[in-house]
Amino acid sequence: MRRVSIFGATGSIGQNTIDLIARAPDDYDVVALTGAGNIAQLAQDAIRLGADVAVTADETRLQDLRDALAGSGVAAAAGTDALIEAASRPADWVMSAIVGAAGLEPGLTALEQGATLALANKESLVCAGELILRTARKHDARLLPVDSEHSAVFQALVGEDMSAVERVIITASGGAFRDWPLENLAGATLEQASAHPNWDMGQRITIDSASMFNKALELIETREYFGVDPAKIEVLVHPESLIHAMVGFHDGALMAHVGPPDMRHAIGYALSWPDRSHLPVERLDLAQIGALTFRAPDDARWPALRLAREVMARRGLAGAVFNAAKETALDGFIAGTLRFPQMAEVVEEVLNTLDPGLIDAAMTLDNVRHADQMARHSAQHIIEQL
Ligand code: NAD
Ligand code: MG
């Protein structure tokens, strides 16, 4: 029996993870499940899977969670400290699927216990890649990618020598506004930005797909996870979302990973790694699909990609600043105070105006937290001035 915990269990990735685990209940001993506002879902899954503890990040919901778990034998807890306590419980495999920088500390704590961390929370690597990797090395813990592109690259690299890698190509669907006239973007509504053409995901990452902030985070994630020079990482728009990534080698070969847009593949690969297991995902009928198409990303439509390149060149804590500014700008768009193209403008202004000393500070958890807070304040201030 493998002891597993799922952080962000009530979200899109969390629910897909539970779907896989619930298919083989005898293989897993569920330690902790965490969520935030969706108490009913959290309690239902914790009871069904026989978790030791269920944690809500929202302290005000502790009594609701206790009530929902009454008589089940599943312990209830709430708040940030409870999340960290849950992450410190011994587990063999931990899914990090909280959305945003809030996923960083639970992930670090799980790595400190030596757990294998299946990392969907790409923000951790963007904010604190060096710290995450250092912590994993120190505690002999393994980090496995759970982003479709990064799982694809990881799989294309099995048995390969990194010195033979010439390029890494991550694909992007182009999101909801891929084919919109540029002048219409300023009028894009929350509902329109929240509709992804191919993937069914949480709302925040869906909007980030439309703005390409998701791909911007993934460029940085690729650099951090695989240690590749940013100049070797390319973004390719591929509207069908069937090729998730390609790795180009110095003999000219390109190894592509092809599969349906279903996160259970990347989650399942991380769950059974280094083996492959039978997964309940669609098998592609390529003759039926007929054609796969590609195009270069358009810098005017997706300024987030340029900003990610600047962040990678800047290094230091620029990723933490970038992510925090992006999260704040996204909150602004969701709340209706920012227009869609203004998200990138706010992030760029934060990067350009924040005290450079914050970015140049050493990568410790305290400094990452501080840079994150300052970037959020700065973004909020910029939004208020608009
Ligand atoms: P989601 O919004 O569907 O779920 C987020 C989860 O995090 C929920 O369980 C929620 O309760 C919890 N949560 C939210 N705020 C929290 C906080 N402040 N503290 C603690 N918990 C909190 O998101 P998702 O789409 O499942 O994405 C989760 C992560 O996986 C993100 O980092 C995202 O970028 C990444 N990811 C998602 C997909 C996908 O297909 N959904 C693909 C690749 C990567
Ligand atoms: Mg992805």
Short mmCIF file of all heavy atoms in Angstrom, two decimals, residues 244-312:
data_model
loop_
_atom_site.label_atom_id
_atom_site.label_comp_id
_atom_site.label_asym_id
_atom_site.label_seq_id
_atom_site.Cartn_x
_atom_site.Cartn_y
_atom_site.Cartn_z
N HIS A 244 1.83 17.39 -26.93
CA HIS A 244 1.97 18.21 -25.72
C HIS A 244 3.34 18.86 -25.63
O HIS A 244 3.48 19.93 -25.03
CB HIS A 244 1.65 17.36 -24.49
CG HIS A 244 0.28 16.77 -24.61
ND1 HIS A 244 -0.85 17.55 -24.73
CD2 HIS A 244 -0.14 15.50 -24.73
CE1 HIS A 244 -1.90 16.78 -24.89
NE2 HIS A 244 -1.50 15.52 -24.89
N ALA A 245 4.34 18.19 -26.17
CA ALA A 245 5.69 18.77 -26.22
C ALA A 245 6.53 17.94 -27.17
O ALA A 245 6.16 16.81 -27.53
CB ALA A 245 6.33 18.79 -24.83
N MET A 246 7.66 18.52 -27.58
CA MET A 246 8.62 17.79 -28.41
C MET A 246 10.01 18.12 -27.88
O MET A 246 10.27 19.24 -27.44
CB MET A 246 8.54 18.24 -29.87
CG MET A 246 7.22 17.88 -30.52
SD MET A 246 7.17 18.39 -32.24
CE MET A 246 5.89 19.63 -32.16
N VAL A 247 10.87 17.11 -27.96
CA VAL A 247 12.27 17.35 -27.61
C VAL A 247 13.09 17.14 -28.88
O VAL A 247 12.95 16.10 -29.55
CB VAL A 247 12.75 16.40 -26.49
CG1 VAL A 247 14.22 16.64 -26.18
CG2 VAL A 247 11.91 16.62 -25.22
N GLY A 248 13.91 18.13 -29.21
CA GLY A 248 14.77 18.03 -30.40
C GLY A 248 16.19 17.70 -29.98
O GLY A 248 16.73 18.32 -29.07
N PHE A 249 16.77 16.70 -30.64
CA PHE A 249 18.13 16.26 -30.29
C PHE A 249 19.13 16.73 -31.35
O PHE A 249 18.74 17.13 -32.45
CB PHE A 249 18.15 14.74 -30.15
CG PHE A 249 17.29 14.26 -29.01
CD1 PHE A 249 15.96 13.88 -29.22
CD2 PHE A 249 17.78 14.24 -27.71
CE1 PHE A 249 15.16 13.47 -28.17
CE2 PHE A 249 16.98 13.83 -26.64
CZ PHE A 249 15.68 13.44 -26.88
N HIS A 250 20.42 16.64 -31.03
CA HIS A 250 21.40 17.22 -31.94
C HIS A 250 21.66 16.38 -33.20
O HIS A 250 22.46 16.77 -34.03
CB HIS A 250 22.69 17.65 -31.21
CG HIS A 250 23.45 16.56 -30.53
ND1 HIS A 250 24.41 16.83 -29.58
CD2 HIS A 250 23.40 15.23 -30.66
CE1 HIS A 250 24.91 15.69 -29.15
NE2 HIS A 250 24.32 14.71 -29.79
N ASP A 251 20.95 15.27 -33.33
CA ASP A 251 20.98 14.57 -34.62
C ASP A 251 19.79 14.98 -35.49
O ASP A 251 19.55 14.41 -36.55
CB ASP A 251 21.00 13.05 -34.41
CG ASP A 251 19.77 12.56 -33.64
OD1 ASP A 251 18.94 13.39 -33.24
OD2 ASP A 251 19.66 11.33 -33.45
N GLY A 252 19.03 15.97 -35.03
CA GLY A 252 17.90 16.46 -35.82
C GLY A 252 16.59 15.78 -35.52
O GLY A 252 15.54 16.19 -36.01
N ALA A 253 16.61 14.73 -34.69
CA ALA A 253 15.36 14.03 -34.37
C ALA A 253 14.50 14.86 -33.43
O ALA A 253 15.02 15.54 -32.54
CB ALA A 253 15.67 12.67 -33.73
N LEU A 254 13.20 14.78 -33.65
CA LEU A 254 12.24 15.40 -32.72
C LEU A 254 11.40 14.28 -32.13
O LEU A 254 10.78 13.52 -32.88
CB LEU A 254 11.29 16.33 -33.48
CG LEU A 254 11.66 17.77 -33.72
CD1 LEU A 254 10.53 18.45 -34.52
CD2 LEU A 254 11.87 18.52 -32.41
N MET A 255 11.38 14.16 -30.82
CA MET A 255 10.53 13.16 -30.17
C MET A 255 9.30 13.89 -29.66
O MET A 255 9.43 14.79 -28.82
CB MET A 255 11.26 12.50 -29.00
CG MET A 255 12.51 11.73 -29.39
SD MET A 255 12.15 10.28 -30.40
CE MET A 255 11.54 9.19 -29.14
N ALA A 256 8.14 13.51 -30.19
CA ALA A 256 6.90 14.18 -29.79
C ALA A 256 6.08 13.28 -28.88
O ALA A 256 6.09 12.05 -29.05
CB ALA A 256 6.08 14.53 -31.03
N HIS A 257 5.42 13.87 -27.94
CA HIS A 257 4.49 13.12 -27.09
C HIS A 257 3.08 13.47 -27.53
O HIS A 257 2.69 14.64 -27.49
CB HIS A 257 4.71 13.51 -25.63
CG HIS A 257 3.84 12.74 -24.67
ND1 HIS A 257 2.51 13.04 -24.48
CD2 HIS A 257 4.10 11.68 -23.88
CE1 HIS A 257 2.00 12.20 -23.59
NE2 HIS A 257 2.94 11.36 -23.22
N VAL A 258 2.32 12.47 -27.96
CA VAL A 258 0.99 12.69 -28.50
C VAL A 258 -0.04 11.98 -27.63
O VAL A 258 0.16 10.82 -27.26
CB VAL A 258 0.89 12.12 -29.94
CG1 VAL A 258 -0.40 12.58 -30.62
CG2 VAL A 258 2.10 12.50 -30.78
N GLY A 259 -1.10 12.67 -27.31
CA GLY A 259 -2.15 12.03 -26.50
C GLY A 259 -3.35 12.94 -26.38
O GLY A 259 -3.28 14.13 -26.70
N PRO A 260 -4.47 12.40 -25.90
CA PRO A 260 -5.66 13.23 -25.75
C PRO A 260 -5.46 14.27 -24.65
O PRO A 260 -4.63 14.07 -23.76
CB PRO A 260 -6.74 12.22 -25.34
CG PRO A 260 -5.99 11.10 -24.70
CD PRO A 260 -4.67 11.03 -25.39
N PRO A 261 -6.19 15.38 -24.71
CA PRO A 261 -6.08 16.39 -23.65
C PRO A 261 -6.80 15.92 -22.39
O PRO A 261 -7.94 16.28 -22.14
CB PRO A 261 -6.72 17.64 -24.26
CG PRO A 261 -7.60 17.15 -25.35
CD PRO A 261 -7.11 15.81 -25.79
N ASP A 262 -6.14 15.09 -21.62
CA ASP A 262 -6.72 14.51 -20.41
C ASP A 262 -5.60 14.43 -19.37
O ASP A 262 -4.62 13.70 -19.57
CB ASP A 262 -7.26 13.11 -20.75
CG ASP A 262 -7.99 12.45 -19.58
OD1 ASP A 262 -7.70 12.79 -18.41
OD2 ASP A 262 -8.85 11.58 -19.84
N MET A 263 -5.74 15.21 -18.30
CA MET A 263 -4.65 15.28 -17.31
C MET A 263 -4.44 13.96 -16.58
O MET A 263 -3.43 13.78 -15.90
CB MET A 263 -4.91 16.41 -16.31
CG MET A 263 -4.62 17.80 -16.87
SD MET A 263 -2.97 17.97 -17.61
CE MET A 263 -1.92 17.82 -16.18
N ARG A 264 -5.37 13.04 -16.71
CA ARG A 264 -5.15 11.75 -16.04
C ARG A 264 -3.95 11.04 -16.63
O ARG A 264 -3.38 10.15 -16.00
CB ARG A 264 -6.42 10.89 -16.10
CG ARG A 264 -7.53 11.47 -15.22
CD ARG A 264 -8.79 10.64 -15.32
NE ARG A 264 -9.23 10.55 -16.72
CZ ARG A 264 -10.26 9.83 -17.13
NH1 ARG A 264 -10.98 9.15 -16.26
NH2 ARG A 264 -10.61 9.80 -18.40
N HIS A 265 -3.56 11.42 -17.85
CA HIS A 265 -2.33 10.79 -18.38
C HIS A 265 -1.11 11.24 -17.57
O HIS A 265 -0.35 10.41 -17.06
CB HIS A 265 -2.13 11.10 -19.87
CG HIS A 265 -0.82 10.54 -20.32
ND1 HIS A 265 -0.63 9.20 -20.56
CD2 HIS A 265 0.39 11.12 -20.45
CE1 HIS A 265 0.63 8.98 -20.83
NE2 HIS A 265 1.28 10.13 -20.78
N ALA A 266 -0.92 12.55 -17.45
CA ALA A 266 0.27 13.06 -16.73
C ALA A 266 0.22 12.66 -15.25
O ALA A 266 1.24 12.31 -14.65
CB ALA A 266 0.35 14.59 -16.87
N ILE A 267 -0.99 12.69 -14.67
CA ILE A 267 -1.12 12.30 -13.26
C ILE A 267 -0.80 10.81 -13.11
O ILE A 267 -0.04 10.41 -12.22
CB ILE A 267 -2.56 12.59 -12.75
CG1 ILE A 267 -2.86 14.09 -12.81
CG2 ILE A 267 -2.74 12.05 -11.32
CD1 ILE A 267 -4.35 14.43 -12.67
N GLY A 268 -1.37 10.01 -13.99
CA GLY A 268 -1.16 8.56 -13.92
C GLY A 268 0.30 8.19 -14.16
O GLY A 268 0.82 7.26 -13.53
N TYR A 269 0.96 8.93 -15.06
CA TYR A 269 2.38 8.65 -15.30
C TYR A 269 3.19 8.92 -14.03
O TYR A 269 4.06 8.15 -13.66
CB TYR A 269 2.90 9.48 -16.49
CG TYR A 269 4.30 9.05 -16.91
CD1 TYR A 269 4.49 7.89 -17.65
CD2 TYR A 269 5.42 9.78 -16.52
CE1 TYR A 269 5.77 7.47 -18.02
CE2 TYR A 269 6.70 9.36 -16.87
CZ TYR A 269 6.87 8.21 -17.63
OH TYR A 269 8.13 7.80 -17.98
N ALA A 270 2.86 10.01 -13.37
CA ALA A 270 3.58 10.35 -12.12
C ALA A 270 3.24 9.34 -11.01
O ALA A 270 4.07 9.06 -10.15
CB ALA A 270 3.23 11.77 -11.68
N LEU A 271 2.03 8.82 -11.06
CA LEU A 271 1.59 7.88 -10.02
C LEU A 271 2.28 6.52 -10.18
O LEU A 271 2.60 5.86 -9.19
CB LEU A 271 0.07 7.74 -10.12
CG LEU A 271 -0.74 7.21 -8.95
CD1 LEU A 271 -0.42 7.93 -7.65
CD2 LEU A 271 -2.24 7.35 -9.26
N SER A 272 2.53 6.11 -11.41
CA SER A 272 3.10 4.77 -11.60
C SER A 272 4.57 4.81 -11.96
O SER A 272 5.21 3.76 -12.05
CB SER A 272 2.32 4.01 -12.68
OG SER A 272 2.39 4.72 -13.88
N TRP A 273 5.12 6.03 -12.19
CA TRP A 273 6.54 6.15 -12.57
C TRP A 273 7.42 5.33 -11.63
O TRP A 273 7.17 5.36 -10.42
CB TRP A 273 6.93 7.64 -12.50
CG TRP A 273 8.35 7.85 -12.89
CD1 TRP A 273 8.83 8.09 -14.15
CD2 TRP A 273 9.49 7.82 -12.02
NE1 TRP A 273 10.20 8.19 -14.11
CE2 TRP A 273 10.64 8.03 -12.83
CE3 TRP A 273 9.67 7.61 -10.65
CZ2 TRP A 273 11.93 8.05 -12.28
CZ3 TRP A 273 10.95 7.63 -10.12
CH2 TRP A 273 12.05 7.85 -10.94
N PRO A 274 8.43 4.61 -12.11
CA PRO A 274 8.94 4.60 -13.49
C PRO A 274 8.24 3.61 -14.42
O PRO A 274 8.66 3.45 -15.56
CB PRO A 274 10.40 4.20 -13.30
CG PRO A 274 10.37 3.33 -12.08
CD PRO A 274 9.28 3.85 -11.19
N ASP A 275 7.16 2.99 -13.93
CA ASP A 275 6.42 2.08 -14.80
C ASP A 275 5.32 2.84 -15.52
O ASP A 275 5.04 3.99 -15.20
CB ASP A 275 5.80 0.95 -13.95
CG ASP A 275 6.87 0.17 -13.20
OD1 ASP A 275 7.95 -0.04 -13.78
OD2 ASP A 275 6.62 -0.19 -12.03
N ARG A 276 4.68 2.16 -16.43
CA ARG A 276 3.46 2.70 -17.03
C ARG A 276 2.30 1.82 -16.58
O ARG A 276 2.46 0.61 -16.47
CB ARG A 276 3.54 2.67 -18.57
CG ARG A 276 4.40 3.76 -19.14
CD ARG A 276 4.31 3.77 -20.67
NE ARG A 276 5.27 4.71 -21.22
CZ ARG A 276 5.04 6.03 -21.37
NH1 ARG A 276 3.86 6.52 -21.05
NH2 ARG A 276 5.98 6.82 -21.85
N SER A 277 1.17 2.45 -16.32
CA SER A 277 0.02 1.65 -15.93
C SER A 277 -1.08 1.84 -16.97
O SER A 277 -1.06 2.80 -17.75
CB SER A 277 -0.48 2.07 -14.55
OG SER A 277 -0.79 3.43 -14.56
N HIS A 278 -2.03 0.96 -16.95
CA HIS A 278 -3.18 1.06 -17.86
C HIS A 278 -4.00 2.27 -17.41
O HIS A 278 -4.38 2.35 -16.25
CB HIS A 278 -3.99 -0.23 -17.74
CG HIS A 278 -5.11 -0.29 -18.72
ND1 HIS A 278 -4.98 -0.88 -19.95
CD2 HIS A 278 -6.36 0.21 -18.65
CE1 HIS A 278 -6.13 -0.76 -20.61
NE2 HIS A 278 -6.97 -0.10 -19.84
N LEU A 279 -4.27 3.20 -18.31
CA LEU A 279 -5.01 4.40 -17.90
C LEU A 279 -6.30 4.54 -18.71
O LEU A 279 -6.33 4.22 -19.91
CB LEU A 279 -4.14 5.65 -18.11
CG LEU A 279 -2.94 5.78 -17.15
CD1 LEU A 279 -2.07 6.98 -17.53
CD2 LEU A 279 -3.41 5.92 -15.70
N PRO A 280 -7.34 5.06 -18.04
CA PRO A 280 -8.66 5.16 -18.68
C PRO A 280 -8.79 6.40 -19.56
O PRO A 280 -9.77 7.14 -19.45
CB PRO A 280 -9.59 5.25 -17.46
CG PRO A 280 -8.77 5.97 -16.44
CD PRO A 280 -7.36 5.53 -16.64
N VAL A 281 -7.80 6.67 -20.40
CA VAL A 281 -7.89 7.85 -21.27
C VAL A 281 -8.24 7.40 -22.69
O VAL A 281 -7.97 6.25 -23.07
CB VAL A 281 -6.57 8.68 -21.27
CG1 VAL A 281 -6.23 9.13 -19.86
CG2 VAL A 281 -5.41 7.90 -21.88
N GLU A 282 -8.79 8.33 -23.44
CA GLU A 282 -9.17 8.04 -24.82
C GLU A 282 -7.95 7.61 -25.65
O GLU A 282 -6.85 8.12 -25.45
CB GLU A 282 -9.77 9.33 -25.41
CG GLU A 282 -10.21 9.24 -26.83
CD GLU A 282 -10.42 10.64 -27.46
OE1 GLU A 282 -10.48 11.63 -26.71
OE2 GLU A 282 -10.50 10.68 -28.70
N ARG A 283 -8.15 6.67 -26.54
CA ARG A 283 -7.10 6.30 -27.50
C ARG A 283 -7.36 7.10 -28.78
O ARG A 283 -8.48 7.08 -29.30
CB ARG A 283 -7.15 4.80 -27.80
CG ARG A 283 -6.35 3.91 -26.85
CD ARG A 283 -6.48 4.25 -25.40
NE ARG A 283 -5.80 3.27 -24.54
CZ ARG A 283 -5.73 3.34 -23.23
NH1 ARG A 283 -6.29 4.36 -22.58
NH2 ARG A 283 -5.10 2.43 -22.54
N LEU A 284 -6.33 7.78 -29.26
CA LEU A 284 -6.54 8.66 -30.41
C LEU A 284 -6.67 7.87 -31.71
O LEU A 284 -5.91 6.94 -31.96
CB LEU A 284 -5.36 9.63 -30.54
CG LEU A 284 -5.20 10.65 -29.42
CD1 LEU A 284 -3.98 11.52 -29.69
CD2 LEU A 284 -6.45 11.51 -29.27
N ASP A 285 -7.60 8.30 -32.53
CA ASP A 285 -7.75 7.76 -33.87
C ASP A 285 -7.20 8.84 -34.82
O ASP A 285 -7.89 9.78 -35.20
CB ASP A 285 -9.24 7.49 -34.14
CG ASP A 285 -9.48 6.94 -35.54
OD1 ASP A 285 -8.57 7.03 -36.39
OD2 ASP A 285 -10.60 6.43 -35.78
N LEU A 286 -5.92 8.69 -35.17
CA LEU A 286 -5.26 9.77 -35.92
C LEU A 286 -5.81 9.90 -37.34
O LEU A 286 -5.84 11.00 -37.90
CB LEU A 286 -3.74 9.56 -35.92
CG LEU A 286 -3.11 9.78 -34.54
CD1 LEU A 286 -1.64 9.36 -34.55
CD2 LEU A 286 -3.21 11.22 -34.08
N ALA A 287 -6.26 8.79 -37.93
CA ALA A 287 -6.84 8.87 -39.27
C ALA A 287 -8.11 9.73 -39.22
O ALA A 287 -8.39 10.53 -40.12
CB ALA A 287 -7.15 7.48 -39.80
N GLN A 288 -8.85 9.56 -38.14
CA GLN A 288 -10.07 10.34 -37.95
C GLN A 288 -9.73 11.82 -37.73
O GLN A 288 -10.38 12.72 -38.26
CB GLN A 288 -10.82 9.76 -36.74
CG GLN A 288 -12.08 10.47 -36.34
CD GLN A 288 -13.20 10.21 -37.35
OE1 GLN A 288 -13.24 9.16 -37.99
NE2 GLN A 288 -14.09 11.19 -37.49
N ILE A 289 -8.69 12.06 -36.94
CA ILE A 289 -8.27 13.43 -36.64
C ILE A 289 -7.75 14.10 -37.91
O ILE A 289 -8.01 15.27 -38.18
CB ILE A 289 -7.23 13.43 -35.51
CG1 ILE A 289 -7.90 13.02 -34.19
CG2 ILE A 289 -6.55 14.79 -35.36
CD1 ILE A 289 -6.94 12.53 -33.13
N GLY A 290 -7.02 13.36 -38.71
CA GLY A 290 -6.63 13.83 -40.04
C GLY A 290 -5.42 14.73 -40.09
O GLY A 290 -4.44 14.43 -40.74
N ALA A 291 -5.46 15.87 -39.38
CA ALA A 291 -4.36 16.83 -39.50
C ALA A 291 -4.05 17.47 -38.16
O ALA A 291 -4.94 17.70 -37.34
CB ALA A 291 -4.74 17.91 -40.51
N LEU A 292 -2.78 17.73 -37.96
CA LEU A 292 -2.33 18.51 -36.80
C LEU A 292 -1.74 19.80 -37.35
O LEU A 292 -0.99 19.77 -38.33
CB LEU A 292 -1.27 17.73 -36.02
CG LEU A 292 -1.71 16.38 -35.44
CD1 LEU A 292 -0.54 15.71 -34.73
CD2 LEU A 292 -2.87 16.56 -34.47
N THR A 293 -2.08 20.91 -36.75
CA THR A 293 -1.59 22.18 -37.30
C THR A 293 -0.76 22.93 -36.25
O THR A 293 -0.89 22.70 -35.04
CB THR A 293 -2.76 23.08 -37.75
OG1 THR A 293 -3.58 23.36 -36.62
CG2 THR A 293 -3.59 22.39 -38.82
N PHE A 294 0.08 23.81 -36.75
CA PHE A 294 1.02 24.54 -35.89
C PHE A 294 1.16 25.98 -36.40
O PHE A 294 1.04 26.22 -37.59
CB PHE A 294 2.41 23.87 -35.94
CG PHE A 294 2.36 22.41 -35.61
CD1 PHE A 294 2.37 21.45 -36.63
CD2 PHE A 294 2.28 21.97 -34.29
CE1 PHE A 294 2.29 20.10 -36.33
CE2 PHE A 294 2.21 20.62 -33.99
CZ PHE A 294 2.22 19.68 -35.01
N ARG A 295 1.43 26.87 -35.47
CA ARG A 295 1.80 28.23 -35.89
C ARG A 295 2.68 28.87 -34.82
O ARG A 295 2.69 28.42 -33.66
CB ARG A 295 0.57 29.09 -36.19
CG ARG A 295 -0.44 29.14 -35.07
CD ARG A 295 -1.60 30.07 -35.44
NE ARG A 295 -2.84 29.34 -35.62
CZ ARG A 295 -4.05 29.86 -35.41
NH1 ARG A 295 -4.18 31.11 -35.05
NH2 ARG A 295 -5.13 29.14 -35.56
N ALA A 296 3.39 29.91 -35.25
CA ALA A 296 4.27 30.60 -34.30
C ALA A 296 3.42 31.45 -33.36
O ALA A 296 2.38 31.96 -33.76
CB ALA A 296 5.25 31.48 -35.06
N PRO A 297 3.84 31.59 -32.11
CA PRO A 297 3.09 32.48 -31.20
C PRO A 297 3.22 33.94 -31.63
O PRO A 297 4.24 34.34 -32.16
CB PRO A 297 3.74 32.24 -29.84
CG PRO A 297 5.06 31.62 -30.11
CD PRO A 297 5.00 30.97 -31.47
N ASP A 298 2.17 34.68 -31.38
CA ASP A 298 2.10 36.07 -31.81
C ASP A 298 2.39 36.96 -30.58
O ASP A 298 1.63 36.97 -29.62
CB ASP A 298 0.66 36.27 -32.35
CG ASP A 298 0.29 37.70 -32.61
OD1 ASP A 298 1.06 38.60 -32.24
OD2 ASP A 298 -0.81 37.91 -33.16
N ASP A 299 3.51 37.67 -30.64
CA ASP A 299 3.95 38.47 -29.48
C ASP A 299 2.97 39.58 -29.11
O ASP A 299 2.85 39.96 -27.95
CB ASP A 299 5.33 39.08 -29.74
CG ASP A 299 6.43 38.05 -29.52
OD1 ASP A 299 6.12 36.98 -28.95
OD2 ASP A 299 7.57 38.31 -29.93
N ALA A 300 2.31 40.12 -30.12
CA ALA A 300 1.39 41.22 -29.84
C ALA A 300 0.16 40.70 -29.10
O ALA A 300 -0.39 41.36 -28.22
CB ALA A 300 0.97 41.89 -31.14
N ARG A 301 -0.27 39.50 -29.44
CA ARG A 301 -1.45 38.92 -28.81
C ARG A 301 -1.13 38.42 -27.40
O ARG A 301 -1.96 38.48 -26.50
CB ARG A 301 -1.95 37.75 -29.67
CG ARG A 301 -3.23 37.10 -29.19
CD ARG A 301 -3.65 35.98 -30.13
NE ARG A 301 -3.92 36.46 -31.48
CZ ARG A 301 -5.08 37.00 -31.88
NH1 ARG A 301 -6.08 37.08 -31.03
NH2 ARG A 301 -5.24 37.44 -33.10
N TRP A 302 0.10 37.91 -27.23
CA TRP A 302 0.46 37.26 -25.98
C TRP A 302 1.75 37.83 -25.40
O TRP A 302 2.81 37.16 -25.40
CB TRP A 302 0.61 35.75 -26.21
CG TRP A 302 -0.69 35.10 -26.63
CD1 TRP A 302 -1.87 35.13 -25.95
CD2 TRP A 302 -0.92 34.29 -27.80
NE1 TRP A 302 -2.83 34.40 -26.63
CE2 TRP A 302 -2.28 33.87 -27.76
CE3 TRP A 302 -0.12 33.89 -28.88
CZ2 TRP A 302 -2.84 33.08 -28.76
CZ3 TRP A 302 -0.68 33.09 -29.86
CH2 TRP A 302 -2.03 32.69 -29.80
N PRO A 303 1.71 39.07 -24.88
CA PRO A 303 2.92 39.68 -24.32
C PRO A 303 3.49 38.91 -23.13
O PRO A 303 4.66 39.08 -22.79
CB PRO A 303 2.44 41.08 -23.88
CG PRO A 303 0.95 41.00 -23.82
CD PRO A 303 0.53 39.96 -24.79
N ALA A 304 2.68 38.04 -22.51
CA ALA A 304 3.16 37.27 -21.35
C ALA A 304 4.40 36.45 -21.71
O ALA A 304 5.28 36.23 -20.86
CB ALA A 304 2.04 36.35 -20.84
N LEU A 305 4.49 36.00 -22.96
CA LEU A 305 5.64 35.16 -23.35
C LEU A 305 6.94 35.97 -23.32
O LEU A 305 7.98 35.49 -22.88
CB LEU A 305 5.42 34.56 -24.74
CG LEU A 305 4.21 33.62 -24.85
CD1 LEU A 305 4.03 33.15 -26.29
CD2 LEU A 305 4.35 32.43 -23.91
N ARG A 306 6.85 37.19 -23.80
CA ARG A 306 8.03 38.08 -23.76
C ARG A 306 8.42 38.36 -22.30
O ARG A 306 9.60 38.34 -21.94
CB ARG A 306 7.72 39.39 -24.49
CG ARG A 306 8.78 40.47 -24.36
CD ARG A 306 8.42 41.73 -25.14
NE ARG A 306 7.11 42.30 -24.83
CZ ARG A 306 6.84 43.06 -23.77
NH1 ARG A 306 7.80 43.34 -22.89
NH2 ARG A 306 5.63 43.54 -23.56
N LEU A 307 7.41 38.59 -21.47
CA LEU A 307 7.70 38.87 -20.05
C LEU A 307 8.39 37.67 -19.40
O LEU A 307 9.32 37.84 -18.60
CB LEU A 307 6.42 39.22 -19.30
CG LEU A 307 5.71 40.50 -19.77
CD1 LEU A 307 4.41 40.72 -18.99
CD2 LEU A 307 6.63 41.72 -19.62
N ALA A 308 7.97 36.47 -19.74
CA ALA A 308 8.60 35.27 -19.16
C ALA A 308 10.08 35.19 -19.56
O ALA A 308 10.93 34.80 -18.77
CB ALA A 308 7.87 34.01 -19.62
N ARG A 309 10.37 35.58 -20.80
CA ARG A 309 11.77 35.56 -21.26
C ARG A 309 12.59 36.58 -20.46
O ARG A 309 13.73 36.33 -20.10
CB ARG A 309 11.87 35.89 -22.76
CG ARG A 309 11.09 34.90 -23.62
CD ARG A 309 12.01 34.12 -24.54
NE ARG A 309 11.26 33.09 -25.25
CZ ARG A 309 11.59 31.80 -25.26
NH1 ARG A 309 12.66 31.38 -24.64
NH2 ARG A 309 10.86 30.92 -25.93
N GLU A 310 11.97 37.72 -20.17
CA GLU A 310 12.67 38.73 -19.36
C GLU A 310 12.91 38.21 -17.94
O GLU A 310 13.98 38.42 -17.37
CB GLU A 310 11.86 40.05 -19.33
CG GLU A 310 11.89 40.75 -20.69
CD GLU A 310 10.94 41.95 -20.78
OE1 GLU A 310 10.44 42.41 -19.72
OE2 GLU A 310 10.70 42.42 -21.91
N VAL A 311 11.93 37.52 -17.41
CA VAL A 311 12.05 36.96 -16.06
C VAL A 311 13.18 35.93 -16.03
O VAL A 311 14.00 35.90 -15.10
CB VAL A 311 10.71 36.33 -15.62
CG1 VAL A 311 10.89 35.46 -14.38
CG2 VAL A 311 9.70 37.44 -15.35
N MET A 312 13.26 35.10 -17.05
CA MET A 312 14.30 34.08 -17.08
C MET A 312 15.68 34.71 -17.20
O MET A 312 16.65 34.22 -16.62
CB MET A 312 14.06 33.08 -18.22
CG MET A 312 12.85 32.19 -17.94
SD MET A 312 12.71 30.79 -19.08
CE MET A 312 12.20 31.60 -20.58
#
